[in-house]
Amino acid sequence: MKSKIKIALILGLLLISSTGLHAQIPIIDAAKAAIKKVIKAIDLKIQRQQNKVIWLQNAQKTLENTMSKVKLDDISDWTQKQKDIYKEYFEELGKVKTIISYYQKIRGITQQQTRLVEAYNRAWKLLRNDRHFTAKEIEYMGKVYTGILGETVKNIDQMLMVANSFKTQMTDAKRMEIIAAAAEKTEQNYTDLLIFNNQNAMLSLKRAKSEQDINMVKTMYGIK
């Protein structure tokens, strides 16, 4: 968490205004735009690959129907070139299915990032209107949130890099390494944000004085 706070302090100085109340708009808009961009790009890539799968599967069925009638070794005019062509169909089919699997993993991580942003939105709206916190405390909270969201944007950049890596020579092992690291970081960011949200909610509850005030805080933050 210390590293998160350090990042927050740096980003906070750049993004948070003196009031600290409207500062998160630039970073939250950047995160939303980046997530939307990834989801749109991944959905399009998955659709293209799925269309390719359909075509390859149809070619596979045609080949299997032919091979079910006669044995490959018994076809005298079956040249090596033809064998290689059909072999490529199977290899390409496996490759495309692997690509789709990568894209689906990326989409899953991006959906978690979407949940993170939504959790931030809910918490930040509550905190900004919670009279149990001072302006300085709200400003500090904004800096921490900015740090977490800044890390999320970095993870999105990693996802885009993997999504575009099929045009390059990146190995499957390297892709999996990046995806696994991004998934772990995204999950950690999400956990950090939920913990921070809970800490703030508990602090607000602790500062509530009357029974009515306590009930109001519990209702606001969903505390049972």
Side-chain angles (χ1 to χ4, degrees):
M1 193 62 189
K2 289 182 179 179
S3 61
K4 295 288 190 305
I5 294 174
K6 288 180 181 178
I7 294 170
L9 291 173
I10 295 172
L11 293 174
L13 291 173
L14 297 173
L15 298 174
I16 295 183
S17 64
S18 59
T19 63
L21 296 180
H22 303 284
Q24 277 61 50
I25 292 176
I27 189 67
I28 194 67
D29 286 347
K32 284 182 178 178
I35 290 171
K36 185 176 180 180
K37 180 180 178 182
V38 173
I39 290 178
K40 185 177 180 180
I42 294 303
D43 283 347
L44 181 60
K45 290 176 186 293
I46 287 176
Q47 184 60 52
R48 286 175 178 170
Q49 295 300 325
Q50 286 175 335
N51 290 339
K52 190 181 290 187
V53 167
I54 292 171
W55 185 88
L56 288 167
Q57 286 177 333
N58 288 336
Q60 181 181 351
K61 287 178 182 177
T62 301
L63 174 60
E64 288 173 346
N65 289 335
T66 302
M67 292 178 68
S68 66
K69 295 176 182 178
V70 290
K71 292 182 179 180
L72 189 62
D73 294 338
D74 294 338
I75 302 176
S76 58
D77 61 345
W78 199 285
T79 65
Q80 186 61 44
K81 182 178 179 181
Q82 288 172 313
K83 291 181 183 179
D84 291 340
I85 289 174
Y86 284 108
K87 180 183 177 184
E88 287 175 7
Y89 284 150
F90 291 112
E91 290 177 346
E92 183 67 15
L93 184 60
K95 184 183 188 181
V96 169
K97 287 181 177 179
T98 299
I99 291 173
I100 290 177
S101 176
Y102 281 129
Y103 287 154
Q104 288 172 338
K105 285 184 175 67
I106 293 171
R107 202 180 196 288
I109 295 170
T110 306
Q111 288 172 337
Q112 179 73 325
Q113 291 166 336
T114 299
R115 287 189 284 272
L116 185 153
V117 171
E118 290 172 348
Y120 156 80
N121 272 333
R122 289 191 298 270
W124 184 238
K125 286 177 182 177
L126 291 173
L127 291 173
R128 287 174 57 180
N129 295 292
D130 193 329
R131 57 188 177 79
H132 296 113
F133 299 115
T134 66
K136 279 287 186 183
E137 288 173 328
I138 296 294
E139 183 176 350
Y140 166 76
M141 292 170 185
K143 291 176 181 179
V144 174
Y145 281 127
T146 302
I148 294 174
L149 290 169
E151 287 296 296
T152 298
V153 172
K154 289 180 184 178
N155 291 334
I156 293 170
D157 289 340
Q158 291 293 303
M159 293 297 91
L160 280 175
M161 183 176 71
V162 174
N164 294 323
S165 70
F166 295 97
K167 300 175 184 178
T168 67
Q169 297 300 314
M170 185 181 291
T171 65
D172 285 342
K174 185 61 178 177
R175 289 190 189 98
M176 286 304 299
E177 180 185 338
I178 294 173
I179 289 173
E184 183 179 352
K185 288 177 182 177
T186 298
E187 192 61 39
Q188 186 60 56
N189 290 340
Y190 186 60
T191 300
D192 288 344
L193 185 134
L194 294 182
I195 291 173
F196 191 59
N197 288 350
N198 185 63
Q199 289 174 343
N200 294 332
M202 290 298 103
L203 180 57
S204 179
L205 182 61
K206 184 178 179 181
R207 291 177 177 178
K209 302 299 182 183
S210 67
E211 184 176 350
Q212 182 181 359
D213 199 11
I214 291 172
N215 290 333
M216 183 191 71
V217 171
K218 287 183 176 179
T219 300
M220 280 178 60
Y221 293 100
I223 301 172
K224 296 180 181 179

